Amino acid sequence: MTGKERTLCFLNRKKADRIGLYEHFWGETIKAWKDQGHLKENESPHDHFGLDLEQFQPFNLMADFRMEPVVLEETAETVLRRDGNGAVMRHHKLHSSTPEHLDFYVKDYATWNEFAKPLLTPDPARINFEKYTETKNRSDAAGRFFCWTGPQVFELMRAITGHVNMLEGMVLEPEWIADMAKTYTDLYIALIEILFAKCGKPDGVWFPEDMGFKQHPFLSPAMYKELLFPAHKRFIDFIHSMGLKTIMHSCGFIEPLLPYVVEAGIDCLQAIEIKSGMDLVRIYKQYGDRLSFIGGIDARVLCNNDRAAIDRELEEKIPIVKQNYGYMLHSDHSIPNSVKYETYRYLIDKGLSLGIF
């Protein structure tokens, strides 16, 4: 089977030849493996490892998307920038990491209306038509399942106002949060209609939405239902109306939100981060008849490069979660550069052997 055929089976929970395979890698990891001679200089991990899925994010969703980031301070290790959202963040230059959030121009409903909302219009110049088409065609030629991807409303609001302002707004100005969610959903739908009309539909849609941290989601289920659920459901219904499946990525512990997230209509949950408190087998047993899953393999086990521990991790999970045919092998986050090439190769060889139907 091709990766596209296998992924369609997986998302519909229909029997394929084996479970699916996908992964995210740190840039430093791929560089190290190339320096060690495991990958050729221009070889992609998709081709090298035979990954079943590929994705591309074609939209610039900064408020002032034409603005070049302004460098406020730079050292040998970091650079401090103000971006088109009016956000000031410190980025590490020597390794992959989440930037440090220092300041945000948009702090409340007034600054949202003053600065950001008037700029969030569906200008075709926000769309990278060329790269979308190039990635789509490459993925099609390789037989991979191609996903359009883009951050959803929680991630977009976090990027423009920061976690603190956003979460305080959910309590103090919920009408502001609801308006931001609606504005970004309006923008997404309009841009997607433009892109798909010109360049064709992808095979599916993948959206990051990091709504949790360790042992807790960032917001209560009640707040999710009131403030985010309407936007998620509207977006997912729109995607389903085109005959496409949706994959939601979320880092952190989001299990309390899952009843409403499932009601919103997602087809697949990705990441299932073990160190945050998520449990692949537990969640599969509750939702495996309604959801497909990508991930849930503890990346910390890989970092130790311990094959016996990898065996235990895979043998305890894959024979169970493959039963409804809705599982794709992936770590619970991404592959850091402490993971040896031989370790990752062992993971996929062992995991896929356990995942044969």
Side-chain angles (χ1 to χ4, degrees):
M1 299 184 78
T2 66
K4 181 181 294 189
E5 293 168 339
R6 189 175 295 114
T7 304
L8 283 169
C9 286
F10 143 78
L11 288 171
N12 287 287
R13 293 181 295 284
K14 294 182 178 179
K15 188 176 181 180
D17 56 341
R18 60 163 172 81
I19 60 174
L21 176 65
Y22 188 44
E23 192 54 75
H24 291 81
F25 305 88
W26 289 14
E28 294 92 337
T29 307
I30 296 301
K31 181 180 184 304
W33 291 352
K34 287 183 176 179
D35 290 345
Q36 294 159 12
H38 299 299
L39 278 75
K40 298 175 184 176
E41 182 56 36
N42 296 317
E43 185 180 22
S44 79
H46 298 84
D47 293 330
H48 184 84
F49 294 112
L51 305 183
D52 292 322
L53 188 150
E54 187 167 1
Q55 59 186 104
F56 178 66
Q57 179 177 326
F59 296 163
N60 184 333
L61 296 168
M62 289 283 179
D64 186 354
F65 72 96
R66 299 182 189 277
M67 171 187 161
E68 290 294 325
V70 177
V71 175
L72 305 177
E73 176 185 299
E74 188 166 7
T75 70
E77 295 184 355
T78 66
V79 57
L80 185 69
R81 299 190 189 101
R82 178 182 293 111
D83 64 26
N85 279 335
V88 178
M89 300 190 188
R90 191 183 309 278
H91 299 261
H92 288 274
K93 297 162 63 175
L94 303 181
H95 57 84
S96 300
S97 67
T98 300
E100 181 183 2
H101 298 187
L102 295 180
D103 192 25
F104 297 88
Y105 184 82
V106 175
K107 292 180 168 67
D108 51 27
Y109 209 168
T111 47
W112 161 256
N113 279 321
E114 171 202 340
F115 167 69
K117 187 174 180 179
L119 295 173
L120 291 168
T121 59
D123 189 328
R126 290 181 177 273
I127 305 173
N128 190 335
F129 295 103
E130 182 178 355
K131 187 68 174 177
Y132 172 89
T133 301
E134 176 189 326
T135 311
K136 182 177 184 297
N137 290 344
R138 181 180 65 241
S139 187
D140 287 345
R144 287 190 287 268
F145 187 92
F146 173 62
C147 277
W148 171 95
T149 190
Q152 251 296 327
V153 293
F154 186 89
E155 282 296 294
L156 292 168
M157 293 188 293
R158 185 272 308 158
I160 201 166
T161 193
H163 281 99
V164 173
N165 294 321
M166 175 178 63
L167 297 174
E168 288 180 350
M170 290 181 180
V171 177
L172 302 175
E173 292 188 285
E175 65 279 6
W176 167 41
I177 304 301
D179 186 54
M180 285 200 291
K182 180 181 183 302
T183 299
Y184 279 119
T185 304
D186 290 343
L187 178 61
Y188 253 145
I189 289 174
L191 290 173
I192 286 172
E193 287 178 333
I194 294 168
L195 173 64
F196 291 4
K198 181 172 181 178
C199 300
K201 294 189 296 186
D203 300 311
V205 163
W206 177 300
F207 60 89
E209 195 74 314
D210 289 346
M211 297 184 290
F213 56 107
K214 192 170 184 178
Q215 301 298 333
H216 297 280
F218 280 109
L219 68 166
S220 71
M223 281 188 169
Y224 174 84
K225 185 63 185 285
E226 177 187 358
L227 299 174
L228 296 188
F229 176 86
H232 282 169
K233 184 162 185 6
R234 182 174 166 227
F235 177 79
I236 293 166
D237 285 349
F238 168 69
I239 297 302
H240 285 168
S241 74
M242 292 183 285
L244 302 177
K245 297 288 189 180
T246 58
I247 301 167
M248 186 185 83
H249 159 92
S250 188
C251 290
F253 186 75
I254 63 161
E255 194 168 347
L257 307 181
L258 285 182
Y260 291 135
V261 170
V262 171
E263 184 183 344
I266 69 164
D267 299 291
C268 177
L269 178 66
Q270 191 268 342
I272 314 163
E273 192 175 8
I274 307 306
K275 60 183 175 291
S276 76
M278 298 288 275
D279 184 297
L280 174 61
V281 172
R282 182 178 70 232
I283 293 169
Y284 165 80
K285 288 180 178 178
Q286 187 169 359
Y287 296 102
D289 60 334
R290 287 163 284 172
L291 288 181
S292 298
F293 301 96
I294 302 174
I297 302 301
D298 195 339
R300 295 172 299 180
V301 172
L302 304 181
C303 293
N304 294 329
N305 295 289
D306 181 341
R307 294 192 178 189
I310 292 171
D311 287 345
R312 289 192 296 271
E313 180 76 2
L314 295 173
E315 289 166 1
E316 289 173 1
K317 294 178 178 179
I318 289 181
I320 296 173
V321 300
K322 77 173 191 177
Q323 291 175 23
N324 284 352
Y325 309 122
Y327 180 71
M328 178 174 276
L329 181 64
H330 193 292
S331 70
D332 68 343
H333 195 268
S334 53
I335 304 299
N337 58 352
S338 57
V339 178
K340 296 178 181 178
Y341 173 87
E342 294 83 3
T343 297
Y344 181 69
R345 176 62 76 180
Y346 182 81
L347 171 83
I348 61 176
D349 289 346
K350 174 78 174 185
L352 296 184
S353 71
L354 290 169
I356 294 172
F357 296 118

